[in-house]
Amino acid sequence: VYLKEYVIPTRLRPSPPRELNRRFKADDEVDVFRDSEGCWVRGSVTTVLEESRYIVEFKGGNRPEIEVDQFDLRLHREWQDGAWVPSLLQQVKKFSAFVEVRSEEKAYNGSWYCARILCLLGDDKYIVEHLKFSRDDGESIPLRDVVEANNMRPVPLSELPPVLCYEPGVIVDAWFNKRWWIGRVSKVLGGGSKYSVLIISTGEEPTILNFNLRPHKDWINGQWVNPSKEECYKPPLKKLKSCERALKVFNNGMMVEVRSDERGYEGSWFSAKIVSYLGGNRYTVVYQTLKTDDEAELLKEEARGSDIRPIPPPLIPKAYRYELYEDVDAWYNEGWWSGRVYTINNNYTRYGVYFKTTDERLEFAYNHLRPCQVWRNGKWSRA
């Protein structure tokens, strides 16, 4: 039975925006979700650990320091005058009103289109106007969208010479179909004046002129980061060695599980096989339960080494029963989803599981669950 009570409007606010890929640094003001209290508590990061874990201290001295996963953290924000402070887009405004917006259309997944900000709606949502697209019913009327701030980034500042040569295998941004796409140079053509580029999210391989390419960078925590540096980031003195060891973990043909970072699928793992190593801690994998849109063959795509783990070892004896509030993985939508048991039927054959990433509660049979295990520092441990 849920608790119900009356509250005054001034004590209400929307749920703060979640940035599931945000990395925190020492002294960041954060909110920590405390399972024992069932609420978010303000604190500050004191130490950045490996494997996306942090040590956080709380204000007031009533709570001890704790070690937490990135998943249980969010940047601390205040709700003021109908908007979050700091806004997700404060860094963007330092550059200009022109931005790049991540497309949420299925056909354009993985691409960024150019736009300009028209106005702030509040709750970190903005109205933007496309720079390259018009409404279907009028060529002279620009297309407009409502966009969340976490799907926006500033236009990269150009620091490049007029002509830049790209080697095969280099990750780039390619201007194609009026959008920027992440791609990999596969062939150098015309003496370097144009290139054959594999668009990673679609599998297309168009020919792109040199001036329609740029080095790929990621917008993380308010700054542009080279992917190679970001992927290999570790605490000082371990930076490169830890990454180099990680590159050798997964061999061709090895069965693994791959974590999804697609919106709405956070916290899920899908069975896959390693096809090849691409360099830069990236692999080509072929999924064992996911298929292409036309259902003709198994889905093949690129995955980061940090999103791959071996198949978890079996732990369940036949007489095992899951307990209330135990962390489990549930087989759902062709993959394993991490959740927590919140209700159990009388004979322990069906379990209600709560998924924090999607805020859903679903019921599962016993044989559709397994203990939740964590792959950390090359070893399995219980969550």
Side-chain angles (χ1 to χ4, degrees), residues 308-362:
I308 302 175
R309 67 183 187 185
I311 300 293
L315 291 179
I316 299 286
K318 289 186 178 179
Y320 186 92
R321 298 192 308 186
Y322 298 100
E323 301 298 334
L324 203 60
Y325 307 124
E326 182 174 351
D327 290 326
V328 295
D329 289 341
W331 181 257
Y332 179 62
N333 275 353
E334 308 298 338
W336 290 102
W337 297 67
S338 298
R340 175 164 294 176
V341 175
Y342 75 92
T343 185
I344 306 171
N345 71 352
N346 291 334
N347 56 4
Y348 283 82
T349 58
R350 300 196 67 82
Y351 297 78
V353 179
Y354 171 70
F355 301 98
K356 186 187 296 185
T357 53
T358 59
D359 195 28
E360 289 182 289
R361 288 174 169 82
L362 300 173

Side-chain angles (χ1 to χ4, degrees), residues 209-221:
L209 295 175
N210 182 290
F211 58 80
N212 282 330
L213 295 178
R214 68 187 186 192
H216 175 68
K217 292 186 178 183
D218 294 313
W219 178 250
I220 298 175
N221 291 349

